[in-house]
Amino acid sequence: MLLACNGSDNVIHSTDSTILEEDVENPSYTILPLGDSRVEGATFNSVSYRYDLWRHLVNDRWDFDFIGTQFDHSSYPVLLGKTFDPDHQGIGGFRTQDILDRIDEFLEELGAPDIVLLGIGGNDLVHNVPVPTAIENINQTIDLLQNSNSNITIFIERIAPGRSNIMTPENIAVYLEFNDSISTLADSQTTDNSRVIAVDMSVDWTDDYMADNLHYNELGAKEVADRYYEAIETALRSPEIK
Protein backbone atom coordinates (compact mmCIF):
# COMPACT_ATOMS: atom_id res chain seq x y z
CA MET A 1 0.00 0.00 0.00
CA LEU A 2 2.06 3.06 0.92
CA LEU A 3 5.26 4.00 2.48
CA ALA A 4 7.68 1.82 4.16
CA CYS A 5 10.83 1.21 5.34
CA ASN A 6 12.60 -2.23 4.61
CA GLY A 7 28.26 14.96 2.14
CA SER A 8 28.29 17.52 4.65
CA ASP A 9 29.63 20.95 5.59
CA ASN A 10 31.33 21.57 8.89
CA VAL A 11 29.74 24.86 9.83
CA ILE A 12 30.03 25.63 13.53
CA HIS A 13 26.91 27.39 14.71
CA SER A 14 28.34 28.90 17.89
CA THR A 15 31.88 29.25 19.17
CA ASP A 16 31.59 32.11 21.63
CA SER A 17 32.82 31.86 25.21
CA THR A 18 29.30 31.69 26.65
CA ILE A 19 28.57 28.45 24.82
CA LEU A 20 31.93 26.99 25.79
CA GLU A 21 31.35 27.80 29.44
CA GLU A 22 27.98 26.09 29.29
CA ASP A 23 29.64 22.83 28.17
CA VAL A 24 30.62 22.12 31.76
CA GLU A 25 27.02 22.41 32.94
CA ASN A 26 25.26 20.67 30.06
CA PRO A 27 23.73 17.32 30.99
CA SER A 28 24.77 14.18 29.14
CA TYR A 29 22.13 12.27 27.16
CA THR A 30 21.95 8.77 25.77
CA ILE A 31 19.94 8.85 22.54
CA LEU A 32 18.30 5.78 20.97
CA PRO A 33 17.39 6.19 17.27
CA LEU A 34 14.68 3.52 17.01
CA GLY A 35 12.63 2.29 14.07
CA ASP A 36 12.80 0.89 10.56
CA SER A 37 14.94 1.35 7.43
CA ARG A 38 14.45 5.10 7.37
CA VAL A 39 16.27 5.15 10.70
CA GLU A 40 18.80 2.58 9.53
CA GLY A 41 19.66 4.22 6.21
CA ALA A 42 23.08 3.47 4.73
CA THR A 43 21.57 1.00 2.25
CA PHE A 44 22.35 0.95 -1.45
CA ASN A 45 19.95 3.79 -2.22
CA SER A 46 18.99 5.60 0.97
CA VAL A 47 20.41 7.82 3.69
CA SER A 48 19.59 8.07 7.39
CA TYR A 49 19.08 11.37 9.21
CA ARG A 50 21.47 10.24 11.94
CA TYR A 51 24.67 11.78 10.58
CA ASP A 52 23.14 15.22 10.01
CA LEU A 53 21.55 15.16 13.46
CA TRP A 54 24.91 14.15 14.95
CA ARG A 55 26.46 17.16 13.17
CA HIS A 56 23.91 19.51 14.75
CA LEU A 57 24.54 18.11 18.21
CA VAL A 58 28.34 18.21 17.87
CA ASN A 59 28.35 21.71 16.39
CA ASP A 60 26.25 23.02 19.27
CA ARG A 61 28.32 21.11 21.82
CA TRP A 62 25.76 18.75 23.27
CA ASP A 63 27.09 15.97 25.47
CA PHE A 64 25.44 12.85 24.05
CA ASP A 65 25.88 9.25 23.02
CA PHE A 66 23.90 7.45 20.32
CA ILE A 67 23.12 3.91 21.47
CA GLY A 68 21.79 0.79 19.79
CA THR A 69 22.65 -2.79 18.94
CA GLN A 70 23.04 -1.91 15.25
CA PHE A 71 26.21 -0.37 13.78
CA ASP A 72 26.47 1.93 10.76
CA HIS A 73 29.52 0.85 8.75
CA SER A 74 29.46 3.80 6.33
CA SER A 75 32.28 6.34 6.32
CA TYR A 76 31.48 9.91 7.39
CA PRO A 77 33.59 13.08 7.69
CA VAL A 78 35.24 13.94 11.00
CA LEU A 79 33.75 17.03 12.68
CA LEU A 80 35.55 19.14 15.28
CA GLY A 81 37.93 16.25 15.87
CA LYS A 82 35.08 13.82 16.53
CA THR A 83 34.20 10.71 14.55
CA PHE A 84 30.59 9.84 13.82
CA ASP A 85 28.75 7.79 16.45
CA PRO A 86 27.43 4.83 14.42
CA ASP A 87 25.18 3.11 16.99
CA HIS A 88 21.44 2.93 16.34
CA GLN A 89 18.37 0.68 16.49
CA GLY A 90 16.94 1.01 13.01
CA ILE A 91 16.12 -2.30 11.35
CA GLY A 92 14.82 -2.53 7.79
CA GLY A 93 11.36 -4.04 7.46
CA PHE A 94 10.42 -3.53 11.11
CA ARG A 95 6.78 -2.91 11.94
CA THR A 96 5.33 -1.58 15.17
CA GLN A 97 4.76 -5.15 16.40
CA ASP A 98 8.45 -5.96 15.87
CA ILE A 99 9.48 -3.00 18.00
CA LEU A 100 7.00 -3.97 20.72
CA ASP A 101 8.12 -7.61 20.69
CA ARG A 102 11.81 -6.72 21.07
CA ILE A 103 11.92 -3.49 23.06
CA ASP A 104 12.52 -5.30 26.37
CA GLU A 105 15.43 -7.17 24.75
CA PHE A 106 16.91 -3.91 23.46
CA LEU A 107 16.55 -2.19 26.83
CA GLU A 108 18.11 -5.12 28.67
CA GLU A 109 21.16 -4.96 26.41
CA LEU A 110 21.47 -1.17 26.15
CA GLY A 111 20.03 0.15 29.39
CA ALA A 112 17.28 2.77 29.52
CA PRO A 113 17.99 5.74 27.23
CA ASP A 114 17.36 9.36 28.14
CA ILE A 115 15.96 10.17 24.69
CA VAL A 116 14.27 8.03 22.05
CA LEU A 117 13.82 9.08 18.43
CA LEU A 118 11.01 6.82 17.23
CA GLY A 119 10.36 6.53 13.50
CA ILE A 120 8.00 3.63 12.82
CA GLY A 121 4.71 2.78 11.14
CA GLY A 122 5.44 2.92 7.44
CA ASN A 123 5.75 -0.83 7.07
CA ASP A 124 2.47 -1.30 8.93
CA LEU A 125 0.74 0.89 6.37
CA VAL A 126 2.39 -0.94 3.46
CA HIS A 127 1.22 -4.28 4.80
CA ASN A 128 -2.31 -3.06 5.56
CA VAL A 129 -2.02 -3.32 9.35
CA PRO A 130 -5.04 -1.40 10.69
CA VAL A 131 -4.09 2.01 12.05
CA PRO A 132 -5.61 1.33 15.51
CA THR A 133 -3.49 -1.82 15.79
CA ALA A 134 -0.30 0.03 14.87
CA ILE A 135 -1.11 2.83 17.31
CA GLU A 136 -1.82 0.40 20.13
CA ASN A 137 1.54 -1.29 19.49
CA ILE A 138 3.24 2.10 19.76
CA ASN A 139 1.29 2.92 22.92
CA GLN A 140 2.49 -0.29 24.56
CA THR A 141 6.06 0.35 23.41
CA ILE A 142 6.00 3.81 24.96
CA ASP A 143 4.62 2.34 28.19
CA LEU A 144 7.63 0.01 28.34
CA LEU A 145 10.06 2.82 27.59
CA GLN A 146 8.54 4.98 30.32
CA ASN A 147 8.63 2.06 32.75
CA SER A 148 12.36 1.74 32.04
CA ASN A 149 12.98 5.46 32.68
CA SER A 150 10.22 7.59 34.18
CA ASN A 151 11.99 10.75 32.96
CA ILE A 152 12.49 9.62 29.37
CA THR A 153 11.82 12.02 26.50
CA ILE A 154 10.39 10.40 23.38
CA PHE A 155 10.27 12.16 20.02
CA ILE A 156 7.92 10.33 17.69
CA GLU A 157 7.58 11.02 13.99
CA ARG A 158 4.48 12.02 12.17
CA ILE A 159 6.06 10.12 9.33
CA ALA A 160 6.93 11.57 5.93
CA PRO A 161 4.89 10.31 2.98
CA GLY A 162 6.12 8.16 0.16
CA ARG A 163 6.85 9.61 -3.25
CA SER A 164 3.76 11.24 -4.70
CA ASN A 165 3.27 8.62 -7.44
CA ILE A 166 2.39 5.95 -4.83
CA MET A 167 0.18 8.19 -2.70
CA THR A 168 -3.23 7.23 -4.04
CA PRO A 169 -6.35 8.74 -2.45
CA GLU A 170 -6.82 5.55 -0.42
CA ASN A 171 -3.21 5.60 0.74
CA ILE A 172 -3.38 9.26 1.65
CA ALA A 173 -6.48 8.69 3.79
CA VAL A 174 -4.79 5.90 5.78
CA TYR A 175 -1.56 7.89 6.05
CA LEU A 176 -3.38 10.94 7.43
CA GLU A 177 -5.30 8.77 9.90
CA PHE A 178 -2.01 7.35 11.16
CA ASN A 179 -0.31 10.72 11.58
CA ASP A 180 -3.33 12.27 13.27
CA SER A 181 -3.34 9.34 15.68
CA ILE A 182 0.36 9.93 16.41
CA SER A 183 -0.42 13.48 17.54
CA THR A 184 -3.19 12.24 19.83
CA LEU A 185 -0.94 9.49 21.18
CA ALA A 186 1.83 11.96 22.01
CA ASP A 187 -0.56 14.09 24.04
CA SER A 188 -2.07 11.13 25.88
CA GLN A 189 1.26 9.45 26.70
CA THR A 190 2.95 12.56 28.09
CA THR A 191 3.24 12.48 31.88
CA ASP A 192 4.40 14.95 34.49
CA ASN A 193 7.97 13.72 34.05
CA SER A 194 8.10 12.15 30.61
CA ARG A 195 7.35 14.07 27.44
CA VAL A 196 6.20 12.38 24.25
CA ILE A 197 6.64 14.89 21.45
CA ALA A 198 5.33 14.48 17.91
CA VAL A 199 7.78 15.74 15.28
CA ASP A 200 6.06 16.51 12.00
CA MET A 201 8.01 15.08 9.07
CA SER A 202 4.98 15.29 6.79
CA VAL A 203 4.40 19.01 6.32
CA ASP A 204 5.99 20.60 3.23
CA TRP A 205 7.47 17.27 2.21
CA THR A 206 8.51 17.00 -1.43
CA ASP A 207 9.60 14.31 -3.87
CA ASP A 208 12.95 16.11 -4.00
CA TYR A 209 13.66 14.50 -0.59
CA MET A 210 13.20 10.93 -1.85
CA ALA A 211 15.83 8.44 -3.03
CA ASP A 212 13.08 6.08 -4.21
CA ASN A 213 9.38 5.61 -3.50
CA LEU A 214 9.97 5.11 0.21
CA HIS A 215 13.36 6.27 1.46
CA TYR A 216 15.27 9.53 1.93
CA ASN A 217 18.08 10.87 -0.18
CA GLU A 218 20.75 13.17 1.31
CA LEU A 219 18.48 16.20 1.08
CA GLY A 220 15.62 14.36 2.77
CA ALA A 221 17.88 13.02 5.50
CA LYS A 222 19.09 16.55 6.24
CA GLU A 223 15.49 17.80 6.38
CA VAL A 224 14.51 15.09 8.87
CA ALA A 225 17.61 15.83 10.97
CA ASP A 226 16.81 19.56 10.99
CA ARG A 227 13.28 18.90 12.22
CA TYR A 228 14.47 16.51 14.91
CA TYR A 229 17.09 18.95 16.08
CA GLU A 230 14.65 21.84 16.31
CA ALA A 231 12.35 19.67 18.45
CA ILE A 232 15.21 18.50 20.68
CA GLU A 233 16.57 22.01 21.12
CA THR A 234 13.13 23.36 22.03
CA ALA A 235 12.23 20.58 24.44
CA LEU A 236 15.49 19.97 26.25
CA ARG A 237 16.65 23.52 26.61
CA SER A 238 13.27 24.45 28.06
CA PRO A 239 12.99 23.56 31.75
CA GLU A 240 9.26 23.04 31.98
CA ILE A 241 7.36 19.91 31.01
CA LYS A 242 5.04 20.64 28.09
Side-chain angles (χ1 to χ4, degrees):
M1 202 178 114
L2 95 142
L3 60 145
C5 306
N6 199 2
S8 72
D9 57 56
N10 289 351
V11 176
I12 301 173
H13 300 306
S14 300
T15 57
D16 61 27
S17 59
T18 301
I19 295 296
L20 293 175
E21 290 172 2
E22 288 176 351
D23 284 351
V24 177
E25 301 176 1
N26 281 346
S28 178
Y29 298 102
T30 53
I31 301 175
L32 176 64
L34 176 64
D36 49 37
S37 60
R38 284 180 166 181
V39 177
E40 180 181 25
T43 60
F44 73 97
N45 69 338
S46 67
V47 181
S48 173
Y49 66 82
R50 291 176 288 101
Y51 176 69
D52 282 300
L53 177 59
W54 176 86
R55 287 180 56 252
H56 279 306
L57 293 165
V58 170
N59 273 326
D60 286 346
R61 291 171 169 73
W62 289 72
D63 185 0
F64 70 99
D65 178 26
F66 284 167
I67 63 173
T69 68
Q70 305 300 299
F71 188 90
D72 188 335
H73 293 279
S74 298
S75 178
Y76 298 95
V78 172
L79 176 62
L80 299 182
K82 298 180 183 294
T83 56
F84 176 60
D85 185 340
D87 300 323
H88 67 92
Q89 202 61 51
I91 300 178
F94 257 35
R95 308 182 196 181
T96 58
Q97 185 67 56
D98 297 308
I99 296 288
L100 177 59
D101 289 344
R102 295 189 62 187
I103 191 62
D104 281 335
E105 171 192 334
F106 298 153
L107 294 173
E108 181 176 358
E109 181 168 350
L110 300 168
D114 301 307
I115 298 168
V116 174
L117 311 177
L118 181 55
I120 197 67
N123 289 311
D124 292 72
L125 303 188
V126 167
H127 294 285
N128 299 317
V129 175
V131 169
T133 300
I135 294 298
E136 179 55 27
N137 291 339
I138 296 172
N139 267 311
Q140 292 184 45
T141 298
I142 290 174
D143 287 342
L144 294 171
L145 288 167
Q146 290 175 326
N147 287 341
S148 74
N149 176 5
S150 61
N151 296 308
I152 198 168
T153 302
I154 300 168
F155 297 90
I156 183 168
E157 295 183 24
R158 285 171 49 93
I159 59 177
R163 195 189 292 271
S164 58
N165 64 286
I166 68 167
M167 299 300 288
T168 65
E170 178 190 19
N171 290 345
I172 290 171
V174 175
Y175 167 74
L176 293 175
E177 179 188 357
F178 178 81
N179 273 350
D180 287 346
S181 298
I182 290 293
S183 296
T184 302
L185 174 153
D187 290 339
S188 66
Q189 290 281 66
T190 292
T191 70
D192 288 342
N193 297 310
S194 172
R195 283 169 287 183
V196 181
I197 299 166
V199 183
D200 197 345
M201 305 301 179
S202 66
V203 66
D204 296 328
W205 193 260
T206 169
D207 285 352
D208 291 340
Y209 296 149
M210 303 302 291
D212 55 26
N213 284 343
L214 305 170
H215 300 94
Y216 314 137
N217 58 24
E218 290 185 5
L219 187 62
K222 182 180 184 303
E223 182 68 23
V224 171
D226 289 349
R227 297 184 191 194
Y228 262 132
Y229 186 68
E230 181 180 1
I232 292 168
E233 175 81 6
T234 299
L236 297 182
R237 288 192 168 157
S238 299
E240 71 277 6
I241 299 295
K242 295 183 179 179

